[in-house]
């Protein structure tokens, strides 16, 4: 798709090189981690979303994002998918692959902690028989403990999360798992009291992903990078819940993680 | 990244197959166009955004999306990039590749038609020496004629557009061009009077892209597909200007077109 030309571009190329030589010098080996390099390697991610797959998003309010409880059984439509990252990822997948017979559902419920996923797991996960199951859970496990509405611990979180995945694999041994890292930015509802414990919850989610060989999405790293380009309030409403811009970024990185993006 | 299991899944697989056999039957050859198939082929798109590139978004209000005129010379920051697809595409690129030394700018101006791009092209394009130049222009060329504020024709649009690209290539022979298809959805500001002429403007933009071997982004097809999943008002505010959800979808397809996405 690249344009070709026989004209000489020496002068303007030189000007540009001069102008940006600082940036170019700073790149060095780090540039080798660029996306195009990953694409070119033999290790590029396989796309885990296959033709005909049922894709299920599970989690708390961040996943929920207001999906219409009366329309949740209708796959692929905005009302049943809400207004968050799950919907935006679905919309991008579906407009990319409208003829692939994908069926995408959302069953995130606001306020949920891991044990509450377990309470409704038969109906809201196993019965739907997902081929791809994406879970984002954890922020309430610490938040509701900090505000006195729950008495959770890191061990309970990790134990319950492992038990949930083991139960899932027993029922759906071929399910392709995506585990999303819990994330926050320190403003709004999130203050110093969250740390360093919150980082331990993130690490626990990563251990669960590693243990079960799931695709892991490092959302904390993504948001920490994103604040280089726009302030925290641009990405999250209150330190916890994404704006549409934050949800858009999450959707993009979700697609990247599942191999839809290089 | 896929999970492996030795357990048999025959019974639940059978259940799922039964449930979705209608969808599976309907897929047929169309499924072969899926993204994963493209990735697997030898013809997959090369990523045209290279390490150290200057990326410039040009166009009208859809590209503009309120970028801060006082901060437009600061690359990669939200204020100088606005709130539209250009910003969201930039944010996704930058969080994917924070160490690649990309410098991304927006110079879209609300209300612009092709001749108005030409009027400010030296300062707002050539002087910036972009390596990647993305242009979305055309909706005002027809809209402002329909509402009596301009006397354009299809021939003027195509002639001016070709002249603009020829002038660009003379100054920047190695620039990598992205030409975005103008798009509308028929509601709000867009009524029957726009058709079939609007389709001719779309076709002209595609001819310009083909003539200069530019990457072409078929946004009309994207929005026509998107309305299968959410109503027109979810994607565009008034038939012309995207919502943040519409901008998110545009950003995704922009990245897909430039090879950042399979």
């Amino acid at each position: 798709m690249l344009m070709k030309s026989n004209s000489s571009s020496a002068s303007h190329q030189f000007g540009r090189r001069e102008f940006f030589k600082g940036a170019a010098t700073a790149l060095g080996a780090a540039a080798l981690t660029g996306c195009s390099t990953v694409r070119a390697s033999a290790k590029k991610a396989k796309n885990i979303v296959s033709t005909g797959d049922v894709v299920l998003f599970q989690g708390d309010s961040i996943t929920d994002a207001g999906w219409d409880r009366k329309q949740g059984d209708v796959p692929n439509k905005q009302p049943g998918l809400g207004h968050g990252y799950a919907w935006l990822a679905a919309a991008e997948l579906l407009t990319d692959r409208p003829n692939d017979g994908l069926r995408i559902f959302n069953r995130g419920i606001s306020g949920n902690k891991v044990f509450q996923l377990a309470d409704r797991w038969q109906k809201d996960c196993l019965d739907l028989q997902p081929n791809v199951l994406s879970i984002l859970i954890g922020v309430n496990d610490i938040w509701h403990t900090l505000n006195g509405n729950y008495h959770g611990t890191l061990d309970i979180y990790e134990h319950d999360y492992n038990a949930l995945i083991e139960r899932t694999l027993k029922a759906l041994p071929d399910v392709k798992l995506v585990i999303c890292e819990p994330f926050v930015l320190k403003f709004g509802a999130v203050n110093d009291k969250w740390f360093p414990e919150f980082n331990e919850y993130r690490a626990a989610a990563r251990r669960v992903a590693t243990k079960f060989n799931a695709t892991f999405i490092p959302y904390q790293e993504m948001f920490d990078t994103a604040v280089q380009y726009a302030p925290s309030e641009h990405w999250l409403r209150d330190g916890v819940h994404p704006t549409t811009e934050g949800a858009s970024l999450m959707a993009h990185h979700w697609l990247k993680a599942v191999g839809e993006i290089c």
Side-chain angles (χ1 to χ4, degrees), chain A residues 40-204:
Chain A
S41 83
K43 292 180 180 177
K44 72 176 192 291
K46 178 177 163 59
N47 190 326
I48 70 170
V49 182
S50 304
T51 299
D53 272 0
V54 172
V55 180
L56 175 63
F57 288 92
Q58 263 290 5
D60 53 34
S61 56
I62 298 166
T63 306
D64 183 334
W67 64 270
D68 184 341
R69 306 305 196 248
K70 294 179 181 169
Q71 298 187 61
D73 290 334
V74 180
N76 304 349
K77 302 285 190 181
Q78 185 276 319
L81 287 165
H83 290 275
Y85 77 94
W87 157 241
L88 290 175
E92 293 175 6
L93 255 178
L94 291 164
T95 54
D96 277 352
R97 304 164 60 179
N99 300 313
D100 271 11
L102 303 174
R103 288 168 175 248
I104 310 180
F105 300 94
N106 187 353
R107 288 293 184 278
I109 297 287
S110 186
N112 269 196
K113 296 165 276 292
V114 180
F115 82 87
Q116 290 160 315
L117 292 187
D119 285 349
R120 58 188 182 84
W121 208 239
Q122 185 64 44
K123 175 171 71 73
D124 282 353
C125 176
L126 307 183
D127 288 353
L128 290 164
Q129 301 195 20
N131 304 88
V132 176
L133 170 61
S134 178
I135 306 174
L136 170 55
I137 198 78
V139 75
N140 293 321
D141 296 75
I142 178 169
W143 194 5
H144 292 186
T145 297
L146 287 170
N147 68 19
N149 292 318
Y150 176 58
H151 298 290
T153 66
L154 177 67
D155 285 346
I156 290 172
Y157 172 70
E158 188 164 359
H159 174 272
D160 286 0
Y161 210 158
N162 277 319
L164 188 76
I165 303 300
E166 283 166 4
R167 176 180 168 198
T168 306
L169 296 177
K170 192 170 175 184
L172 305 171
D174 292 329
V175 74
K176 293 168 279 191
L177 286 171
V178 179
I179 290 183
C180 304
E181 184 179 35
F183 57 86
V184 294
L185 292 172
K186 198 157 48 172
F187 77 101
V190 180
N191 57 28
D192 286 335
K193 290 184 183 173
W194 288 60
F195 303 93
E197 194 174 9
F198 181 70
N199 298 331
E200 295 301 318
Y201 279 77
R202 290 170 41 211

